[in-house]
Amino acid sequence: MFTWLLRRLFQACFVVLAMTVIVFVGVHVIGNPVDILISPEADQAERARVIAAFGLDQPLWKQYALFLNGLLHGDLGRSFVFNEPALRLIGGRMPATLELAVTAVLMSVGFGVPLGLYAGLKPNGFIGRSIMAGSILGFSLPTFWVGLMLIMVFAVTLGWLPSTGRGETGELFGLRWSFLTWDGLRHMAMPALNLSLYNISLVLRLTRAGVRETLLMDYIKFARAKGLSPARVIFVHVLKNIMIPITTVVGLELGSTIAFAVVTESVFAWPGMGKLIIDSINVLDRPVIVAYLMMIVVIFITINLVVDILYTVLDPRVRLETKA
Amino acid sequence: MSATLEVRNLRTHFHTRAGVVKAVDDVSFSVDAGQVLGLVGESGSGKSVTGFSIIGLIDPPGRLAGGSIFYRGQDLAKISEREMRSLRGNRIAMIFQDPMMTLNPVLRIDTQMIETVQAHVNVSKAEARARARDALGMVGIPSPEERLNAYPHQFSGGMRQRVAIAIALLHNPDLLIADEPTTALDMTIQAQILAEVQKLTAEHGTALIWITHDLSVIAGLADRIAVMYAGRVVETGEAADVLDHPVHPYTHGLIGSVPSRNHRGERLRQIPGMTPSLLSLAPGCAFRSRCAHATDACAQEPPVTETSPGHTARCFHPVSS
């Protein structure tokens, strides 16, 4: 277990390093921030001064070396626009995205598993078929459209929920969180639902497929032959088996939900990382883009690690060995 | 004394899109306490479906289409699912063919055993665990206390079948249905399991229905034999009687196709043709297309005739040997 963990951490470092190269080269290809940041009226001397201040006069390899040096000291550079450390800038926005993504993923499990279970147990009933038909909508409707529809129905027409912002926040661990206040929760409801719709469909279909498959297994028939109640058979024997694929997908989806909350955050003006990154890309604020992407990589690696460890809890046949 | 189990004119049909499959069609037999009935037949002859019909685990599109299953005078075809469940795993137990598949891979052995105890008797978890441990010891699993904490994948196939047998025997059932429990095992393990089940059922006077396609397994085990073909019992009688003096041509063919030392060097006799599709079964004897003795009369439903006391066959042309 310990050697396995060490190995994984080593691999993770390598992935991060590889990612820095890709990201660094990538952002230098998409455009020159100088054109956007410096006003057209500035004279040549002013231009040269700003370029030198951002370190953009250095060759690419030297900029990269400086960046790596900073990385080792926990410094990912300063935002060109806000003149703040990029990491602090992102950190300030992170709680908003994090709580939104976690709520969305919890909702996807909370709705997806029961609905999928029902659809799997009664695949030919009217309700089972309706659930499956509904899940196709969840897959295929574009997020921004659903977001706008939610706003139209619940905020404009019915006036039940607020349509923008985080609302009142409470403080925990020195950070501001919306889920701690009733007003904050009301603000979070629609964006979280919007963000989770795709994941609900995904988890639902996965659960249904797992249930259909597991029900045919001999051990389910044997469990019934033992005289167990249907509830015990479904909630212990079936559910425990399908939790393995669901955990994998939910783990991966948590990562992509954090990374791609952009659309939902834009529609609901949710002040999270997604909105920050879109703004940063617009003005080619390189340090923020790089820092953001680095952080997403770390989040993904961490989630995958946690999922791997969860496997050993869920599936006794999986043991974390040093050999692959 | 009434039989532990008496199956009368049992019919189990599967309603598929292609038509009605009569997997079990008018099957009757009975088993007394302490007796072993061998249910023999090829794959698809309806022997497993018969077993599942008795324990009430026929899933849609299948359903009981007729007949009665008397367990101690009570018709299992008529009782509610709730009553059936209180018998299942308690008074009537079943073990399956593939021991690699019968235990839930993600649950520990103790979980799977304790839940079986607690499903039928109201005892504490510690008491249920103690019973589970004793049951494991009874079927010959070494250091049962430690093995309770193991997962199924930590056992070999033979050991898993022993665990399944221990689970089936937790409540000392009156009837045990064994659906080819040794088919998937090695020869040596097969013999051990066979001896174990025989010993345990004899000790508790459990009636045993042993479903198999392997006549050599049944020869030393069964008191009575029922031979099934295409959903029907074609011959039934005392084990020795049926094996030594088979009267139905199908039983004849079945026995002829078992390799034996007595006929070394001879070609094994085969039954020509294949088992018919149950979907398009013409009326009359289902075996007639493969039968050397068949005549036009066989297009009619053959009656059940008693060729000697306690020995019956469903055939117009019983073979004498």
Side-chain angles (χ1 to χ4, degrees), chain B:
Chain B
M1 192 193 98
S2 77
T4 302
L5 182 83
E6 190 181 349
V7 174
R8 235 182 260 162
N9 309 107
L10 178 69
R11 290 172 200 274
T12 306
H13 294 178
F14 289 80
H15 297 260
T16 65
R17 270 181 204 183
V20 179
V21 175
K22 297 176 178 174
V24 175
D25 192 14
D26 196 15
V27 161
S28 304
F29 57 79
S30 69
V31 205
D32 293 336
Q35 217 188 31
V36 182
L37 172 79
L39 205 54
V40 190
E42 292 170 82
S43 346
S45 60
K47 49 197 197 315
S48 292
V49 177
T50 306
F52 284 121
S53 302
I54 294 167
I55 204 166
L57 287 180
I58 294 293
D59 289 320
R63 60 186 179 86
L64 292 189
S68 340
I69 305 163
F70 289 106
Y71 161 75
R72 300 193 151 183
Q74 185 184 20
D75 189 353
L76 300 184
K78 291 200 171 65
I79 65 175
S80 69
E81 169 59 25
R82 201 188 171 78
E83 289 171 291
M84 190 65 224
R85 193 172 4 119
S86 69
L87 291 176
R88 222 183 268 147
N90 183 11
R91 304 323 318 146
I92 302 176
M94 188 158 179
I95 45 181
F96 292 1
Q97 177 169 359
D98 188 354
M100 303 313 246
M101 300 298 295
T102 42
L103 299 173
N104 193 324
V106 299
L107 297 176
R108 286 201 326 213
I109 299 298
D110 60 350
T111 315
Q112 303 195 44
M113 295 191 80
I114 288 168
E115 65 180 6
T116 316
V117 176
Q118 290 187 326
H120 300 291
V121 285
N122 193 7
V123 293
S124 71
K125 203 166 175 183
E127 164 71 14
R129 197 186 154 86
R131 287 198 196 186
R133 185 197 55 218
D134 295 345
L136 281 189
M138 199 173 68
V139 295
I141 287 179
S143 49
E145 181 67 47
E146 291 151 41
R147 299 305 266 162
L148 272 179
N149 294 326
Y151 284 97
H153 72 276
Q154 292 164 315
F155 287 85
S156 67
M159 280 297 164
R160 284 194 217 185
Q161 196 60 291
R162 283 173 196 262
V163 173
I165 291 166
I167 290 175
L169 296 180
L170 271 172
H171 296 284
N172 291 326
D174 299 320
L175 173 68
L176 177 64
I177 302 165
D179 187 3
E180 306 210 34
T182 59
T183 311
L185 302 174
D186 290 347
M187 265 306 185
T188 48
I189 309 294
Q190 195 171 329
Q192 287 175 8
I193 298 283
L194 211 61
E196 205 73 63
V197 173
Q198 203 169 13
K199 188 188 92 191
L200 293 170
T201 49
E203 270 170 21
H204 297 108
T206 301
L208 176 62
I209 296 177
W210 192 282
I211 298 170
T212 186
H213 63 263
D214 189 346
L215 279 172
S216 58
V217 167
I218 216 73
L221 177 72
D223 299 304
R224 290 181 65 81
I225 287 181
V227 180
M228 283 190 76
Y229 186 78
R232 294 183 184 172
V233 174
V234 292
E235 180 165 0
T236 172
E238 297 291 320
D241 220 12
V242 172
L243 292 174
D244 296 340
H245 309 289
V247 288
H248 197 282
Y250 175 65
T251 317
H252 246 280
L254 214 53
I255 293 169
S257 58
V258 176
S260 101
R261 263 184 309 198
N262 305 339
H263 306 284
R264 192 183 289 270
E266 269 177 50
R267 274 187 82 87
L268 276 177
R269 273 178 297 147
Q270 302 174 10
I271 304 175
M274 294 191 317
T275 35
S277 160
L278 293 176
L279 206 54
S280 53
L281 212 53
C285 177
F287 188 60
R288 69 176 189 277
S289 59
R290 305 169 72 185
C291 182
H293 304 267
T295 59
D296 291 344
C298 299
Q300 302 294 316
E301 192 67 38
V304 177
T305 46
E306 193 162 27
T307 54
S308 62
H311 191 166
T312 61
R314 205 189 262 265
C315 186
F316 284 112
H317 312 288
V319 187
S320 48
S321 50

Side-chain angles (χ1 to χ4, degrees), chain A residues 9 34 58 63 101 120 130 135 161 178 181-182 205 209 215 238 251 283:
Chain A
L9 286 177
V34 176
Q58 311 279 353
Q63 287 186 39
S130 308
S135 78
L161 293 167
S178 286
T181 66
W182 174 239
R205 289 186 154 257
L215 279 180
V238 175
V283 297

Side-chain angles (χ1 to χ4, degrees), chain A:
Chain A
M1 174 76 191
F2 182 72
T3 34
W4 174 84
L5 201 64
L6 213 64
R7 218 184 142 94
R8 277 299 292 264
L9 286 177
F10 181 74
Q11 282 172 354
C13 291
F14 190 77
V15 170
V16 170
L17 195 69
M19 195 60 196
T20 59
V21 178
I22 298 170
V23 167
F24 212 77
V25 173
V27 291
H28 279 82
V29 170
I30 55 172
N32 191 349
V34 176
D35 304 337
I36 296 170
L37 288 172
I38 300 172
S39 88
E41 286 100 57
D43 56 22
Q44 203 52 42
E46 173 73 5
R47 276 181 72 94
R49 199 188 56 75
V50 174
I51 290 172
F54 289 153
L56 294 172
D57 52 343
Q58 311 279 353
L60 185 58
W61 68 267
K62 204 158 185 184
Q63 287 186 39
Y64 180 67
L66 280 171
F67 166 76
L68 274 192
N69 186 43
L71 190 65
L72 286 177
H73 297 91
D75 176 16
L76 288 170
R78 297 178 80 84
S79 161
F80 295 161
V81 179
F82 300 93
N83 198 25
E84 251 189 85
L87 214 51
R88 193 198 299 164
L89 203 59
I90 292 168
R93 303 291 197 96
M94 197 155 74
T97 298
L98 225 53
E99 65 178 344
L100 190 62
V102 169
T103 310
V105 166
L106 287 181
M107 281 170 81
S108 68
V109 175
F111 288 112
V113 172
L115 289 174
L117 202 58
Y118 187 91
L121 292 172
K122 298 222 160 49
N124 297 319
F126 175 72
I127 298 177
R129 282 170 190 272
S130 308
I131 290 172
M132 289 315 285
S135 78
I136 295 173
L137 290 183
F139 261 127
S140 45
L141 291 179
T143 317
F144 70 90
W145 186 82
V146 174
L148 291 174
M149 286 300 121
L150 284 174
I151 290 177
M152 232 172 82
V153 174
F154 292 101
V156 178
T157 311
L158 296 171
W160 290 353
L161 293 167
S163 64
T164 56
R166 289 181 77 185
E168 223 177 286
T169 52
E171 197 175 297
L172 187 71
F173 307 125
L175 298 167
R176 320 283 319 171
W177 303 93
S178 286
F179 75 92
L180 295 173
T181 66
W182 174 239
D183 185 53
L185 281 174
R186 274 166 46 87
H187 278 82
M188 198 153 68
M190 275 201 292
L193 179 67
N194 188 212
L195 197 56
S196 69
L197 217 54
Y198 175 85
N199 287 337
I200 290 177
S201 306
L202 191 67
V203 170
L204 187 163
R205 289 186 154 257
L206 201 68
T207 307
R208 178 184 181 271
V211 169
R212 303 282 300 141
E213 200 179 309
T214 311
L215 279 180
L216 300 176
M217 292 299 189
D218 265 3
Y219 54 78
I220 297 302
K221 206 151 201 182
F222 190 63
R224 291 166 64 201
K226 294 196 293 191
L228 303 183
S229 65
R232 171 109 196 155
V233 173
I234 291 163
F235 292 111
V236 177
H237 286 259
V238 175
L239 212 53
K240 184 125 198 238
N241 269 285
I242 60 171
M243 281 329 278
I244 298 162
I246 290 176
T247 309
T248 318
V249 168
V250 165
L252 290 176
E253 283 303 306
L254 177 61
S256 33
T257 306
I258 293 171
F260 306 119
V262 182
V263 175
T264 297
E265 286 184 2
S266 303
V267 170
F268 292 91
W270 187 263
M273 294 192 295
K275 210 163 164 330
L276 175 70
I277 189 68
I278 283 292
D279 295 344
S280 301
I281 289 173
N282 277 333
V283 297
L284 290 175
D285 194 349
R286 281 183 189 167
V288 178
I289 303 174
V290 172
Y292 173 80
L293 291 174
M294 297 311 302
M295 198 156 69
I296 294 298
V297 171
V298 171
I299 287 174
F300 263 97
I301 290 173
T302 313
I303 290 173
N304 277 335
L305 192 71
V306 171
V307 167
D308 275 349
I309 293 171
L310 269 181
Y311 273 163
T312 60
V313 179
L314 290 172
D315 191 341
R317 289 163 295 187
V318 176
R319 285 285 165 267
L320 301 177
E321 306 278 337
T322 36
K323 58 175 189 279

